Amino acid sequence: MTEQSFAARLRQLRHERGLSLRGLAKLTYHGKSYLHELETGAKAPSPQVARRLDDALRAMGELVALAGTRPGLRRRELVAAGRHDDAERLYRLSLSAAHDADDAALAGNGLAFLAYQQLALTGQATDTATAACERAGTTATPRVRALLHLRAAWAHALTGDDGATHRHLDLGTACLAEHDGRAEPDWVYWVDATEGEIMTGRCWAVLHRPVRAVPVLERAILRFDDTYARDKALYLSWLADAYLDANEVEQACATAALAARLSADVGSPRPGQRLEAVLNRLSPHAALPCVIELRALVAEAAKRPPSVPPTPGNR
């Protein structure tokens, strides 16, 4: 059995049951974007995910069996496992293939992945992220250009460069407003106005610009229901940071507490890491009741074994 056969059968079963991706997401508590990645083979299911989907679609163990063999780790899994040399090799292999195919959009995306890896390792990736935008050029479809500019904005924000961040955010937002009639690649299906707002809010939060960050994050988060627990928890953590920059300590604690409750049953470590960062910033206010309560809530959530696998997004 191959991973692709799992993807094809998952999609077939969903259609047979008359379910949309959103409908299946509500049944399984996985994000719609994650389910799409499973159906296209972009991600491989864990045994727990396969079991949950099998139960929801009444597959009688078929999906569990199809997910039983996995042909190795994917690039993002290599990064998560700390195998950065292997990950970089695969990133550069895909980049070389994109060059050989003369696919500027894919080449730009390959450079953007390299930039994200560089951010994880060194915190510095502005040159690579900018090169990704330049490689895709002006002929790539609007969503591709939007994605690359938004990722470049994030790279610049992490270095504290307000001007470059603002420039790439403006370019990415402008691209999202374009509609030129061309079909977009499958791998940018999730890039939309809400994604633009999330990235904008995160960038301004990192740059300690709460007046800009708070309203855009609040507006974007309202569009996410609790099905998207992992992503929503992450976005709430950035909003909590922005409230702290605005000296709204109680509001920051309330926001972080909501993130902690959402992420309690999620298998991804990222929300917990983000919440620890928020707690560190709250150290000067350690005696406040809201901070004491938040610290206890986060500690209790960390003890609970995840009952719901992570809901990966592309953000």
Side-chain angles (χ1 to χ4, degrees):
M1 299 294 184
T2 67
E3 182 184 333
Q4 184 57 43
S5 65
F6 173 93
R9 185 57 178 149
L10 172 61
R11 184 166 56 251
Q12 183 182 33
L13 283 167
R14 179 174 63 80
H15 288 310
E16 289 176 359
R17 304 293 185 262
L19 288 169
S20 64
L21 279 173
R22 186 177 297 277
L24 184 57
K26 289 182 178 180
L27 286 176
T28 60
Y29 301 99
H30 294 301
K32 184 175 70 171
S33 61
Y34 179 43
L35 293 175
H36 181 276
E37 289 173 318
L38 290 177
E39 285 195 355
T40 58
K43 278 189 171 22
S46 69
Q48 295 86 354
V49 169
R51 168 55 61 189
R52 186 180 290 272
L53 290 168
D54 197 284
D55 291 343
L57 293 169
R58 306 187 302 280
M60 304 296 292
E62 184 179 0
L63 289 177
V64 173
L66 289 172
T69 58
R70 296 179 61 183
L73 292 173
R74 290 181 173 272
R75 292 175 296 174
R76 288 186 179 180
E77 292 172 304
L78 289 170
V79 173
R83 294 168 57 180
H84 290 285
D85 289 342
D86 289 334
E88 182 178 356
R89 176 178 56 80
L90 290 175
Y91 284 142
R92 293 195 179 278
L93 182 62
S94 65
L95 180 59
S96 177
H99 282 306
D100 290 344
D102 196 26
D103 191 325
L106 273 179
N109 194 43
L111 285 167
F113 275 123
L114 279 171
Y116 260 36
Q117 185 185 31
Q118 290 168 2
L119 283 175
L121 290 173
T122 68
Q124 174 58 258
T126 54
D127 290 344
T128 306
T130 301
C133 299
E134 294 171 350
R135 180 66 183 88
T138 58
T139 59
T141 54
R143 287 194 185 188
V144 170
R145 287 183 281 120
L147 173 64
L148 298 180
H149 280 299
L150 292 173
R151 287 180 169 175
W154 178 244
H156 284 286
L158 290 176
T159 67
D161 190 335
D162 284 50
T165 300
H166 202 166
R167 182 170 66 256
H168 282 287
L169 287 175
D170 283 348
L171 288 168
T173 302
C175 290
L176 286 172
E178 290 183 27
H179 301 283
D180 64 10
R182 288 181 292 168
E184 294 282 356
D186 288 345
W187 45 271
V188 291
Y189 74 93
W190 52 275
V191 181
D192 56 16
T194 300
E195 172 65 13
E197 288 187 331
I198 289 293
M199 286 298 291
T200 297
R202 288 174 64 194
C203 286
W204 292 129
V206 166
L207 289 168
H208 305 291
R209 304 285 293 274
V211 173
R212 292 189 175 190
V214 168
V216 70
L217 282 173
E218 287 182 333
R219 185 167 61 247
I221 288 170
L222 284 175
R223 300 194 185 106
F224 288 83
D225 61 40
D226 291 354
T227 301
Y228 302 91
R230 171 189 177 275
D231 291 343
K232 190 172 181 179
L234 286 171
Y235 305 151
L236 285 166
S237 75
W238 297 115
L239 180 57
D241 268 337
Y243 280 134
L244 281 175
D245 286 326
N247 202 31
E248 296 288 346
V249 178
E250 291 81 5
Q251 189 64 41
C253 287
T255 302
L258 179 54
R261 293 187 182 96
L262 279 172
S263 62
D265 291 329
V266 172
S268 171
R270 286 189 63 200
Q273 293 165 356
R274 285 289 306 135
L275 286 169
E276 284 298 327
V278 173
L279 283 173
N280 288 338
R281 292 194 62 193
L282 284 165
S283 295
H285 312 283
L288 289 178
C290 65
V291 178
I292 295 172
E293 291 173 7
L294 175 62
R295 193 172 295 280
L297 178 63
V298 172
E300 181 62 28
K303 296 177 183 176
R304 294 173 57 182
S307 60
V308 178
T311 309
N314 294 277
R315 300 161 173 90

Coordinates of all heavy atoms in Angstrom, one line a residue, residues 5 8 13 37 84 95 122 137 169 177 185 194 240 288 299 307 311:
S5 N -2.2 6.0 -2.4 CA -3.4 5.2 -2.4 C -4.3 5.6 -1.2 O -5.5 5.6 -1.3 CB -3.1 3.7 -2.4 OG -2.5 3.3 -1.2
A8 N -5.9 9.0 -2.3 CA -6.9 8.8 -3.2 C -8.2 8.2 -2.6 O -9.3 8.6 -2.9 CB -6.5 7.9 -4.4
L13 N -13.7 8.3 -0.4 CA -14.7 8.1 0.6 C -15.4 9.3 1.1 O -16.6 9.3 1.4 CB -13.9 7.5 1.8 CG -13.5 6.0 1.7 CD1 -12.6 5.6 2.8 CD2 -14.8 5.1 1.8
E37 N -4.2 18.5 2.5 CA -2.8 18.0 2.3 C -2.8 16.5 2.3 O -2.0 15.8 1.6 CB -1.9 18.6 3.3 CG -1.7 20.1 3.0 CD -0.9 20.7 4.2 OE1 -1.2 20.4 5.3 OE2 0.0 21.6 3.9
H84 N 18.6 18.5 9.7 CA 18.6 19.7 8.8 C 19.5 19.5 7.6 O 19.2 20.0 6.5 CB 19.1 20.9 9.6 CG 18.2 21.4 10.7 ND1 17.0 22.1 10.3 CD2 18.1 21.2 12.0 CE1 16.3 22.3 11.4 NE2 17.0 21.8 12.5
L95 N 14.7 22.4 -5.6 CA 15.0 23.7 -6.2 C 15.7 23.5 -7.6 O 15.4 24.1 -8.6 CB 15.9 24.5 -5.3 CG 16.3 25.9 -5.8 CD1 15.1 26.8 -6.1 CD2 17.2 26.6 -4.8
T122 N 19.4 30.0 12.2 CA 20.2 31.1 12.4 C 19.4 32.4 12.8 O 20.0 33.4 13.2 CB 21.1 31.4 11.2 OG1 20.3 31.9 10.1 CG2 21.9 30.2 10.8
G137 N 9.6 36.3 -9.8 CA 9.3 37.4 -10.7 C 7.9 37.9 -10.7 O 7.1 37.6 -9.8
L169 N 4.9 43.4 2.9 CA 3.5 43.3 3.3 C 2.6 44.0 2.3 O 1.6 43.4 1.9 CB 3.2 43.8 4.7 CG 3.8 43.0 5.9 CD1 3.5 43.7 7.2 CD2 3.1 41.6 5.9
A177 N -5.1 40.9 -4.0 CA -6.2 41.6 -4.6 C -6.3 41.4 -6.1 O -7.3 41.8 -6.7 CB -6.2 43.1 -4.2
P185 N -1.4 27.3 -8.7 CA -0.9 26.0 -8.3 C -1.7 25.4 -7.0 O -2.1 26.2 -6.2 CB 0.5 26.2 -8.0 CG 0.9 27.5 -8.6 CD -0.4 28.3 -8.6
T194 N -7.3 36.3 4.5 CA -7.2 36.0 5.9 C -5.7 35.7 6.3 O -5.1 36.1 7.3 CB -8.1 34.8 6.4 OG1 -9.4 35.2 6.2 CG2 -7.9 34.5 7.9
A240 N -1.5 38.0 22.1 CA -1.1 38.2 23.5 C 0.2 39.1 23.6 O 0.3 40.0 24.4 CB -0.9 36.9 24.2
L288 N 0.7 39.2 39.8 CA -0.7 39.5 39.4 C -1.5 38.2 39.4 O -1.1 37.2 38.9 CB -0.8 40.2 38.1 CG -0.3 41.6 38.0 CD1 -0.4 42.1 36.6 CD2 -1.1 42.5 38.9
A299 N 0.8 25.1 32.9 CA 1.5 23.9 33.5 C 0.6 22.7 33.5 O 1.0 21.6 33.2 CB 1.9 24.2 34.9
S307 N -4.8 14.2 23.0 CA -5.8 13.3 22.4 C -6.2 13.6 21.0 O -6.8 12.7 20.3 CB -7.1 13.4 23.3 OG -7.6 14.7 23.2
T311 N -2.9 19.9 14.1 CA -3.6 20.3 12.9 C -2.7 21.2 12.1 O -2.8 22.4 12.2 CB -4.9 21.1 13.3 OG1 -5.6 20.3 14.3 CG2 -5.8 21.4 12.2

